[in-house]
Amino acid sequence: MRVDLHNHTKLCNHATGSVDEYVKRAIELKIDEYGFACHAPMNFDPKYRMKLEERALYENWVNEAKDKYKDKIKVLLAYEVDYLKGFMLDEILNANVDYLIGSVHFLQNKNELWGFDNPEFIGVYESVDINKIWEDYFSAIEAMAKTNYFQIVGHLDLIKVFKFLPKKDVRLLARNALKEIKKANMVLEINPAGLRKPIGETYPSKQLLEEAYNLGIEITFGSDAHSVEHVGFGYEDAINLAKDIGYKKCATFYKKEMSLIDF
């Protein structure tokens, strides 16, 4: 089974292509389960996410594709939610969807929030202790897991995107976050989008995936497509990484209930 659970739509304002085009491409690539998890609306950073009033349109697009292509592919409805205390919307956190991806894209710096994966803020890396940035990041992941709102952790080590790497062992930095992820019964996506970025490797790294495997944390796959050309991107790399570590099954979801399937 080929599963790809993290994909976007043009409603996030930084993606292109129609839902139909994404699904048709997934069918061509023989993907069995294809999930849309577009950036959820919330009261922050409106430039890079759908508006709350567009939520119904988004869900209609995905549900129409579910029905239209049901004989060829299983289409799933989800949201990628930025974990940001005080800004997330209850109507999204409690939405009737197949799953929620919880991601961290923002950290606190001098009483301001900065988008650490946005090139506009890249200068912050040079003004703050790099270990502190990584510690703050994994503390946010840990806090996200403790909420029990989410089924999937989005791109676990996204903080490495621009290759500003910690001086401490990343396994130690991520240890508590991984323990909370396991406790919350969340799964990690293997996300090859990092191959398109300066870091040039998948999220998470092999080191962190080995730690997750040893803790009994399950995985899934998500290409993080923001264009039709990204659909299925790096899938073989992700599969091979998972197999090298020892994984044989991946997670998928229906109405927030997990099932494990062979990949």
Side-chain angles (χ1 to χ4, degrees):
M1 291 276 282
R2 291 172 75 90
V3 170
D4 186 350
L5 299 189
H6 185 166
N7 301 286
H8 295 273
T9 74
K10 61 186 179 183
L11 291 177
C12 72
N13 304 313
H14 58 286
T16 58
S18 69
V19 165
D20 250 40
E21 288 172 314
Y22 282 79
V23 175
K24 284 177 182 173
R25 181 61 181 145
I27 292 167
E28 285 173 11
L29 293 171
K30 297 184 168 48
I31 291 169
D32 299 284
E33 300 201 8
Y34 189 78
F36 286 96
C38 203
H39 293 282
M42 72 175 185
N43 299 318
F44 184 75
D45 196 42
K47 185 177 170 185
Y48 294 106
R49 66 191 67 255
M50 74 179 81
K51 299 178 182 69
L52 184 58
E53 54 267 31
E54 292 173 325
R55 176 190 172 191
L57 176 62
Y58 168 69
E59 295 192 4
N60 285 341
W61 281 353
V62 177
N63 286 326
E64 282 168 10
K66 272 191 188 201
D67 189 55
K68 182 176 179 180
Y69 296 103
K70 63 186 176 187
D71 296 330
K72 296 181 178 177
I73 192 170
K74 188 173 184 180
V75 175
L76 301 172
L77 171 65
Y79 287 99
E80 180 183 13
V81 181
D82 276 300
Y83 173 72
L84 207 48
K85 206 170 174 184
F87 293 97
M88 298 176 292
L89 302 178
D90 287 344
E91 53 263 62
I92 298 297
L93 295 173
N94 299 306
N96 182 22
V97 293
D98 291 311
Y99 54 92
L100 294 175
I101 297 176
S103 297
V104 174
H105 291 95
F106 300 94
L107 293 174
Q108 197 83 28
N109 179 48
K110 296 178 182 174
N111 299 317
E112 291 182 345
L113 290 164
W114 65 292
F116 59 80
D117 64 329
N118 186 333
E120 293 172 32
F121 295 96
I122 204 163
V124 180
Y125 283 100
E126 312 208 339
S127 65
V128 182
D129 177 69
I130 192 63
N131 287 329
K132 173 77 164 54
I133 291 173
W134 279 70
E135 286 163 4
D136 288 351
Y137 174 77
F138 280 114
S139 291
I141 295 282
E142 182 182 346
M144 180 186 75
K146 285 178 177 176
T147 67
N148 288 304
Y149 279 123
F150 310 102
Q151 286 69 51
I152 300 172
V153 182
H155 33 58
L156 174 68
D157 53 357
L158 179 64
I159 192 70
K160 72 186 178 186
V161 58
F162 295 122
K163 289 183 86 170
F164 292 96
L165 303 177
K167 295 175 175 64
K168 292 183 179 178
D169 187 330
V170 69
R171 292 168 296 190
L172 297 178
L173 291 169
R175 179 173 289 168
N176 290 339
L178 286 170
K179 285 179 180 175
E180 290 301 328
I181 288 164
K182 173 60 180 174
K183 216 180 283 185
N185 202 31
M186 293 177 74
V187 309
L188 299 182
E189 64 170 9
I190 301 183
N191 180 329
L195 296 169
R196 306 192 293 263
K197 305 294 183 179
I199 189 61
E201 67 177 33
T202 58
Y203 311 115
S205 65
K206 188 172 185 181
Q207 273 185 315
L208 288 183
L209 209 50
E210 286 170 342
E211 292 293 303
Y213 181 78
N214 291 335
L215 285 169
I217 296 170
E218 304 293 350
I219 57 158
T220 192
F221 299 99
S223 56
D224 209 346
H226 285 73
S227 72
V228 176
E229 293 72 31
H230 290 162
V231 175
F233 172 82
Y235 197 85
E236 294 306 320
D237 296 90
I239 289 281
N240 291 335
L241 175 60
K243 286 180 175 175
D244 282 351
I245 286 166
Y247 284 104
K248 294 180 177 136
K249 292 181 182 288
C250 70
T252 187
F253 295 87
Y254 177 71
K255 302 296 183 189
K256 299 184 180 176
E257 290 295 320
M258 178 171 65
S259 55
L260 293 172
I261 55 177
D262 295 328
F263 61 84

